[in-house]
């Protein structure tokens, strides 16, 4: 008898027939008296591991010594002793050992703003109104519409820049 058989050869040896030779894991004889099941090697290993775990659990429940000797818990060695020279500065002073040199930052000129904050806000407001007016002209909205008149009045109030 060979060590490893193909599934169809093993099932034929027992006189059983698979329904689907590609996917079947089991087969039955035509009269139904014999059923054969194929099991992969890794399934057998998992089954044996489960069986061993069940045996250990049963032995533990029965109060029998298990296969693994029990170990004593670790013993506290006591408080740590400080060396006579004292603790290392690496342990007592957090942070880098050597100071990193400060890098020189390039001097940039301060930004020149076009005016006071109020003037800048007024210019931004005017720019938004001009943008709205341009969009209305682009999308062919009538210059006589209510919103177009409002925008034109507000632009006239802010004055040209």
């Amino acid at each position: 008898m060979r060590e490893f058989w193909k599934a169809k050869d093993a099932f034929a040896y027992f006189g059983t027939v698979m329904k689907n030779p590609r996917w079947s894991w089991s087969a039955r004889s035509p009269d139904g008296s014999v059923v054969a099941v194929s099991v992969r090697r890794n399934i057998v290993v998992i089954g044996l591991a489960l069986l061993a775990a069940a045996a250990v659990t049963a032995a533990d429940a029965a109060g029998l010594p298990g296969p693994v000797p029990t170990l004593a818990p670790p013993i506290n060695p006591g408080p740590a002793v400080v060396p006579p020279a004292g603790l290392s500065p690496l342990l007592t002073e957090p942070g880098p050992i050597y100071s990193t040199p400060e890098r020189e930052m390039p001097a940039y000129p301060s930004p020149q703003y076009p005016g006071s904050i109020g003037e800048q806000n007024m210019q931004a407001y005017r720019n938004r109104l001009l943008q709205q007016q341009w969009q209305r002209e682009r999308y062919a909205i009538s210059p006589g519409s209510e919103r177009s008149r409002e925008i034109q009045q507000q632009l006239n109030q802010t004055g040209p820049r």
Side-chain angles (χ1 to χ4, degrees):
M1 199 156 122
R2 293 185 296 194
E3 188 173 329
F4 296 107
W5 289 1
K6 291 184 180 178
K8 69 177 185 176
D9 296 336
F11 289 140
Y13 176 80
F14 292 105
T16 57
V17 180
M18 296 183 289
K19 281 190 176 183
N20 182 343
R22 189 172 197 172
W23 301 107
S24 293
W25 285 46
S26 61
R28 191 170 51 182
S29 64
D31 62 352
S33 62
V34 177
V35 174
V37 179
S38 67
V39 180
R40 292 186 175 190
R41 197 178 333 164
N42 58 352
I43 301 296
V44 172
V45 170
I46 291 171
L48 289 175
L50 290 173
L51 185 62
V56 169
T57 304
D60 188 41
L64 300 173
V68 179
T70 57
L71 300 175
I75 299 172
N76 184 357
V81 179
V82 178
L87 291 177
S88 165
L90 293 174
L91 299 173
T92 57
E93 299 172 13
I97 298 173
Y98 303 105
S99 62
T100 56
E102 294 280 333
R103 290 186 179 175
E104 292 282 330
M105 296 300 291
Y108 294 107
S110 62
Q112 300 297 319
Y113 295 113
S116 69
I117 298 296
E119 291 174 3
Q120 292 176 41
N121 288 343
M122 185 61 106
Q123 184 63 40
Y125 176 68
R126 180 172 170 72
N127 290 342
R128 284 194 300 272
L129 289 173
L130 288 170
Q131 179 72 19
Q132 287 180 15
Q133 185 180 34
W134 177 80
Q135 286 179 348
R136 293 192 182 286
E137 290 171 2
R138 181 176 180 205
Y139 294 115
I141 296 176
S142 168
S145 72
E146 184 68 29
R147 182 66 184 141
S148 292
R149 282 196 299 266
E150 288 175 12
I151 291 173
Q152 192 59 45
Q153 285 176 349
Q154 292 171 350
L155 281 171
N156 291 340
Q157 288 173 359
T158 59
R161 290 269 166 177

